Amino acid sequence: LAAVWLFRKTRLSILNPLLVSIPVLALITHFLGISYESFEKGSRIISFMLGPTVVVLGYLLYEQIAQLKENAVSIITSVFVGCITGVLSVIFIARYFGADHALIASLEPKSVIVVGIFGGLVGPFILERLGIKSRIARGLALGSAAHGLGTAKAMELGAVEGAISGLAIGVMGIMTAILVPVIELFIA
């Protein structure tokens, strides 16, 4: 709650409650000597509550079914291009910094985490600066590029943005699992 208060008071993206909570929890568990196993056991209720959250996203998607059908080709194309761009960016940036093949291969599917944090912090600002007003485009951009953090931000923007963002996460996950090995064949 303190992290939410801090974020609402400052409105600084870098003080997003998720980003503040992770290091604070890590420090607390470290200094109190709480083992990971004990922490994990104690946080099962939180993990359990993620299930109803997925149901809520599903319901929001159901409410937007007409818009989803209308824009199916755009949605799939956008997520496809975003997936390829994200994976290739990680590959080329890692190569630029001299990473070996094993490290690059391990980073490819994890690119979503690094990009997700960055996108969740600066995504809404970039969309605003670019003048992107379409609720579907905003949801797609935040969900496919910024994943969980982006979807949390999209939910703040509206139901359509949140629903499309939630869909984009799922489609991006499937496409990443399919495309990473294919990209490896051509880039390796």
Side-chain angles (χ1 to χ4, degrees):
L1 291 175
V4 172
W5 175 84
L6 181 63
F7 176 71
R8 286 185 179 157
K9 206 72 164 145
T10 63
R11 302 308 278 169
L12 294 171
S13 293
I14 195 71
L15 295 177
N16 181 292
L18 180 64
L19 296 178
V20 171
S21 298
I22 293 169
V24 168
L25 281 174
L27 289 171
I28 289 171
T29 56
H30 175 74
F31 286 119
L32 293 178
I34 300 171
S35 70
Y36 175 78
E37 292 78 20
S38 178
F39 178 80
E40 192 268 332
K41 185 177 179 183
S43 63
R44 284 190 183 148
I45 187 71
I46 294 171
S47 296
F48 173 76
M49 292 307 292
L50 288 175
T53 304
V54 171
V55 172
V56 169
L57 283 175
Y59 181 73
L60 289 173
L61 279 172
Y62 176 75
E63 286 185 327
Q64 307 304 325
I65 197 75
Q67 288 191 34
L68 292 173
K69 287 179 180 178
E70 245 177 68
N71 297 288
V73 173
S74 298
I75 291 169
I76 298 298
T77 303
S78 299
V79 175
F80 177 78
V81 170
C83 180
I84 289 178
T85 302
V87 172
L88 288 177
S89 297
V90 166
I91 291 170
F92 293 127
I93 291 169
R95 281 186 181 172
Y96 176 79
F97 285 108
D100 65 3
H101 179 73
L103 179 59
I104 292 171
S106 72
L107 288 173
E108 289 166 356
K110 292 177 183 77
S111 64
V112 297
I113 296 168
V114 176
V115 173
I117 292 170
F118 179 74
L121 293 175
V122 300
F125 173 78
I126 291 171
L127 292 171
E128 195 66 39
R129 291 286 181 214
L130 293 174
I132 296 172
K133 302 290 182 211
S134 165
R135 298 172 79 190
I136 291 173
R138 292 170 78 88
L140 275 172
L142 290 170
S144 61
H147 319 294
L149 200 53
T151 298
K153 185 56 82 173
M155 295 292 285
E156 291 176 16
L157 298 176
V160 172
E161 293 90 334
I164 300 295
S165 185
L167 174 68
I169 289 174
V171 175
M172 179 65 91
I174 292 166
M175 284 194 183
T176 301
I178 293 168
L179 292 175
V180 164
V182 173
I183 292 170
E184 267 295 308
L185 289 174
F186 292 102
I187 300 291

